[in-house]
Amino acid sequence: MDIKQLQYLCNLEKERHFGRAAEASFVSQPTLSMRLKNLEHELGLALIRRGNNFEGFTAEGERVLAWAREMISVYQGLKLEVASLQHGTSGLLRVGVVPQSSLALPELLKAVSDEYPQMDYQVSLFSADQLLDALNAHSVDVGIGFFELTTLQELRFQSTPLTGGGVSLLYHPQHFPTLAGEGAVTLPELAGVPLCLAEPSRYFRRYLDSQFRRAGVAPRVRVESASVLQLLQSVFAGLGCGIVPDGSLIPGMTPALSQRPLTLPAMSRQGAVAIAQHGRATILAERFFEVARHWLKG
């Protein structure tokens, strides 16, 4: 067994097709098939259900695949750590982010870049639960999102809380002139107002839905999307109003839109920046976390 065989197995899971998995692995399809059959022979298990085409994994294959994903993630983390040891604070930092976290991430990245100009960033989006799994599997170096702080402590992650935590109503005054004002808005005042919100599977959306239920308000959701860009464009076009966490760059980037504070209780989860415990976090992650702690306090 070698790491390439495990990578081929993971690529097959991702592509669900032998030919595309071979392309993703930069090998021919016969080579990929042969190496996977060799892996099955070595383990003494059938991992893949084959017909004329790929038909999925066997129960045993699913178990092996779970280990393969973790081993590939650790291997990739090891390569990044070695690169960090060779090149100091230059290299690629993998950042996992939950959309609509109360943080202007590009401003934080700029602050880190000012300290470590040779550091580059790969930013990937996750749900709140997926992000914790990604941190556990070492497929990201830094996680920024909503966490149960007790869970982070139990897993020995290093974390620092995000500041703020407020929520605002985002609207275009030309399309919704009756919403103009300075004071806070309550959920009952939004009854019947069309809204542009994240998909129901997202933690921030689930939080909003729970607050609407508690207020006895059935929201009129006109646009749902996983894309923050699509939601912003929908608000700009007047399809509805958005509900966004405070702390983003949206006010400065969209001067045509207006915001008013929205009266809501705090979320049950805490916004935070998290990395692995000392000794397991990469050098780049430690440097990033050090700057992030000071930046968030400032």
Side-chain angles (χ1 to χ4, degrees):
M1 182 192 306
D2 60 45
I3 198 70
K4 285 188 176 181
Q5 288 172 303
L6 301 180
Q7 184 68 69
Y8 297 162
L9 195 67
C10 291
N11 285 342
L12 182 59
E13 179 200 25
K14 180 180 178 181
E15 300 296 337
R16 316 299 292 183
H17 185 275
F18 286 106
R20 292 194 297 270
E23 290 179 5
S25 304
F26 302 102
V27 297
S28 66
Q29 183 171 333
T31 296
L32 179 129
S33 297
M34 179 191 68
R35 295 300 304 278
L36 291 178
K37 286 180 180 178
N38 288 345
L39 177 62
E40 290 177 311
H41 179 74
E42 183 177 347
L43 296 176
L45 295 170
L47 306 179
I48 301 164
R49 291 191 286 109
R50 297 176 174 86
N52 292 330
N53 298 297
F54 172 74
E55 296 181 356
F57 295 94
T58 64
E60 295 81 1
E62 293 287 354
R63 296 287 296 273
V64 172
L65 186 61
W67 282 99
R69 285 194 296 265
E70 183 169 352
M71 293 171 73
I72 290 296
S73 294
V74 172
Y75 174 69
Q76 291 173 341
L78 173 61
K79 289 200 298 182
L80 289 172
E81 179 72 3
V82 170
S84 297
L85 293 171
Q86 291 173 335
H87 306 294
T89 54
S90 66
L92 181 69
L93 183 76
R94 302 167 301 169
V95 183
V97 183
V98 173
Q100 297 184 307
S101 300
S102 54
L103 172 72
L105 177 59
E107 287 191 335
L108 174 54
L109 297 183
K110 181 62 169 63
V112 177
S113 293
D114 289 343
E115 291 286 333
Y116 304 106
Q118 298 304 312
M119 196 181 296
D120 299 318
Y121 311 95
Q122 180 187 75
V123 179
S124 303
L125 300 182
F126 295 85
S127 71
D129 295 330
Q130 288 172 339
L131 181 57
L132 188 60
D133 291 339
L135 282 166
N136 267 321
H138 308 288
S139 55
V140 297
D141 306 301
V142 177
I144 302 174
F146 305 108
F147 301 98
E148 298 284 356
L149 293 187
T150 54
T151 301
L152 291 180
Q153 293 167 359
E154 289 170 359
L155 295 174
R156 299 184 179 181
F157 285 111
Q158 303 174 70
S159 66
T160 188
L162 301 181
T163 55
V167 176
S168 293
L169 179 73
L170 182 71
Y171 65 98
H172 198 308
Q174 178 181 331
H175 300 293
F176 295 93
T178 59
L179 290 175
E182 299 294 332
V185 182
T186 63
L187 291 184
E189 293 178 80
L190 297 183
V193 174
L195 299 174
C196 304
L197 301 178
E199 293 178 337
S201 62
R202 298 295 183 179
Y203 173 74
F204 184 67
R205 172 64 187 279
R206 298 202 308 268
Y207 159 72
L208 293 178
D209 287 345
S210 69
Q211 297 309 313
F212 274 114
R213 286 194 297 271
R214 292 181 62 179
V217 176
R220 182 190 174 194
V221 183
R222 175 173 276 178
V223 178
E224 288 181 340
S225 178
S227 168
V228 174
L229 176 61
Q230 294 303 322
L231 294 176
L232 285 177
Q233 291 184 119
S234 297
V235 172
F236 182 83
L239 286 169
C241 302
I243 298 178
V244 297
D246 296 338
S248 74
L249 296 177
I250 289 174
M253 293 172 59
T254 56
L257 304 183
S258 298
Q259 288 187 262
R260 288 180 63 183
L262 188 59
T263 303
L264 289 175
M267 301 181 194
S268 60
R269 295 188 184 184
Q270 171 70 56
V273 177
I275 65 172
Q277 67 189 85
H278 289 295
R280 298 197 68 185
T282 65
I283 293 175
L284 296 183
E286 291 279 8
R287 297 293 181 266
F288 179 95
F289 188 69
E290 179 184 2
V291 175
R293 282 192 306 172
H294 288 93
W295 186 80
L296 289 168
K297 290 178 180 177

